[in-house]
Amino acid sequence: MSESTPAALPIVVIGAGPIGLAAAAHLVERGIEPLVLEAGPAAGAAVREWAHVRLFSTWAEVVDPAAEKLLAPTGWTRPAPATYPSGGDWAEQYLQPLADVLGEKVRTGARVTGVSRSGRDRIVDAEREKQPFVVHIAHADGREERIFARAVIDASGTWATPSPAGGSGLPALGERAASDRIIYRVPDLNDPAVRARYAGKRTAVIGSGASAFTALAYLADLAKSEAGAGAKGVWILRRGISGSTFGGGEADQLPARGALGLAAKAAVDDGHADAVTGFRTDAIERDADGRLVLVAEDGRRLDAVDEVIVLTGFRPDPSFLDELRLNLDERLQAPVELAPLIDPNQHSCGTVYPHGHRELSHPEQDVYLVGMKSYGRAPTFLAMTGYEQARSVVAALAGDEDAADRVELTLPETGVCGGAGLFDTPDTEQEAAGGCCAPAPALIQLGAPGTTSGGC
């Protein structure tokens, strides 16, 4: 931290999700005052929006060590380490108790609208690092506030900015007009109203990651039920089917993550979903009955569907950081030192090296992006990764360089070869490039929607 910045100022943490709260716990452990600003009405607001989805990491992997120490005096005990929480479990049994312990250090309904250096826009060099950060906040009741901080940790995530259906990264033509039939989240089919929306309907699922696997498994379970008979999924893939399409299978060191891909494969094999490959959505049109017709860039038109679930990933929102000097990779929108470690165009087997403050630093001293936001547009983020980021960044802000540089994390292999950058490659070449890690898939039944794994 800049020696001239008043030590009495708090370190502002943006976002009261798993990584933001972990950062606050590490700050408290080091005797540094955090102020956590959460736009939502409660801690873990984004996690609560996918409360019905079960994580593919166990409780042992989604509780931060510093947070657990902070919770211990309250009598809190970690749930059974080998079990898998849902998003709702994670929020209610861990995130909310942690926010309660932090007390007034966490403010909800407080949306950060801008961050800068006090009296300095991004152009001005003069004595820049001597100035504290100024953070502008819009409160849920309409009030505006300005506070000062000695450092800023942005753990706001990417949940609020899902990627569109369009294959070019822009919304497909007609996508906005069809918004009444499109969602960008895994639907909660335990909700009777949501279940009725998809029962007996033909639904397109656009995407190739864990969320798409989850949605396909949910729709397959719906189709098997008496009330949902006739439900059919249409899985839209921008690339072909390869050895890595369904994840790492039994080679994945997170078994539930591997099982999730196998459940998606079962949905296709059992006829509950049809896979359409090499399809990059260019337009979404309505037919005479109001149903949606997806049109590819190459002119292919699919049979009409009733609903569309777009699960093409998320992207960061750096707009409220525009007055800071960030160094972001031009492709991933991740910190430039981190980007080569996580770029799916370059990495073939899903391994991301543990990293910390050095890879997350920017030209603007004492500002860090952590958690999902640090990955920009890259996939496969794990809570364990974010906790290690928070530990290292806080150690650096505390001036403990040895601890900040120390690696205290071993990440599990995905068992997947072949990154997203292979989606232009012919199917046969993808199999050659992408089949090295995964054995022939075997079916693992995951059960009803309420127990299907998906998440981090």
Side-chain angles (χ1 to χ4, degrees):
M1 268 179 287
S2 172
E3 293 181 3
S4 60
T5 301
L9 293 177
I11 290 180
V12 162
V13 179
I14 306 174
I19 313 308
L21 292 175
H26 282 276
L27 288 166
V28 169
E29 185 176 51
R30 288 184 172 271
I32 301 172
E33 183 70 12
L35 177 59
V36 183
L37 302 173
E38 167 59 47
V47 174
R48 294 173 192 273
E49 292 193 28
W50 49 271
H52 58 290
V53 177
R54 196 166 298 282
L55 282 72
F56 50 63
S57 295
T58 64
W59 271 113
E61 297 156 335
V62 297
V63 174
D64 176 78
E68 188 166 14
K69 290 179 185 176
L70 193 61
L71 283 163
T74 70
W76 185 89
T77 56
R78 186 194 312 213
T83 61
Y84 296 89
S86 66
D89 296 334
W90 204 17
E92 290 298 331
Q93 298 179 39
Y94 169 62
L95 299 179
Q96 190 59 56
L98 180 54
D100 291 342
V101 169
L102 290 165
E104 294 183 355
K105 295 177 176 64
V106 178
R107 297 186 191 175
T108 58
R111 180 179 300 279
V112 174
T113 58
V115 182
S116 186
R117 290 280 188 175
S118 180
R120 306 288 188 274
D121 62 20
R122 69 185 297 166
I123 299 174
V124 178
D125 290 334
E127 298 187 324
R128 184 177 189 85
E129 291 184 357
K130 294 182 179 180
Q131 307 305 314
F133 291 93
V134 58
V135 181
H136 284 213
I137 306 166
H139 291 275
D141 61 7
R143 290 181 300 113
E144 291 184 314
E145 184 183 4
R146 178 181 62 195
I147 62 174
F148 297 94
R150 57 197 289 203
V152 174
I153 300 174
D154 182 1
S156 59
T158 57
W159 179 255
T161 47
S163 296
S168 62
L170 301 173
L173 296 179
E175 183 171 345
R176 293 188 180 94
S179 61
D180 60 317
R181 298 287 187 93
I182 302 175
I183 66 167
Y184 298 84
R185 308 284 189 264
V186 176
D188 181 3
L189 296 185
N190 288 318
D191 182 324
V194 176
R195 197 172 181 84
R197 175 174 177 173
Y198 297 95
K201 302 292 180 61
R202 179 176 166 87
T203 300
V205 178
I206 305 176
S208 59
S211 293
F213 294 165
T214 302
L216 290 166
Y218 281 15
L219 291 171
D221 283 330
L222 177 63
K224 296 172 191 175
S225 70
E226 184 176 344
K232 181 80 172 183
V234 182
W235 188 16
I236 310 299
L237 291 149
R238 292 173 180 170
R239 55 177 174 170
I241 299 290
S242 72
S244 65
T245 297
F246 297 101
E250 294 175 352
D252 196 320
Q253 291 182 13
L254 290 177
R257 182 172 59 187
L260 186 60
L262 299 179
K265 183 178 187 301
V268 175
D269 289 347
D270 294 345
H272 299 303
D274 295 327
V276 179
T277 61
F279 192 99
R280 300 187 202 174
T281 307
D282 184 61
I284 299 176
E285 301 174 355
R286 288 189 189 266
D287 68 8
D289 297 322
R291 303 174 79 206
L292 303 182
V293 177
L294 275 59
V295 184
E297 290 178 353
D298 60 11
R300 280 183 292 162
R301 302 171 67 88
L302 300 184
D303 292 340
V305 297
D306 301 287
E307 302 285 345
V308 178
I309 303 172
V310 179
L311 300 167
T312 53
F314 295 86
R315 53 186 61 178
D317 175 14
S319 61
F320 61 86
L321 304 176
D322 277 351
E323 294 306 319
L324 298 178
R325 297 175 177 181
L326 303 183
N327 197 4
L328 299 177
D329 179 75
E330 69 275 7
R331 289 172 297 175
L332 297 184
Q333 294 177 286
V336 291
E337 296 298 325
L338 174 60
L341 304 180
I342 62 176
D343 188 346
N345 291 290
Q346 298 179 24
H347 285 274
S348 63
C349 283
T351 298
V352 176
Y353 297 103
H355 53 274
H357 73 110
R358 296 195 182 279
E359 293 83 0
L360 298 171
S361 63
H362 294 277
E364 193 77 67
Q365 185 177 328
D366 297 338
V367 60
Y368 296 92
L369 277 59
V370 299
M372 286 286 294
K373 192 163 186 176
S374 72
Y375 266 42
R377 299 189 182 202
T380 65
F381 180 82
L382 294 173
M384 291 182 289
T385 299
Y387 293 156
E388 174 67 1
Q389 290 178 340
R391 184 203 63 78
S392 175
V393 163
V394 169
L397 290 172
D400 188 349
E401 192 167 300
D402 288 342
D405 287 339
R406 193 164 56 240
V407 174
E408 298 184 2
L409 175 68
T410 301
L411 291 171
E413 297 271 358
T414 65
V416 176
C417 289
L422 294 175
F423 73 97
D424 282 318
T425 314
D427 291 2
T428 53
E429 293 181 36
Q430 286 191 48
E431 280 200 37
C436 65
C437 299
L443 174 62
I444 297 178
Q445 293 290 347
L446 290 179
T451 59
T452 302
S453 297
C456 55

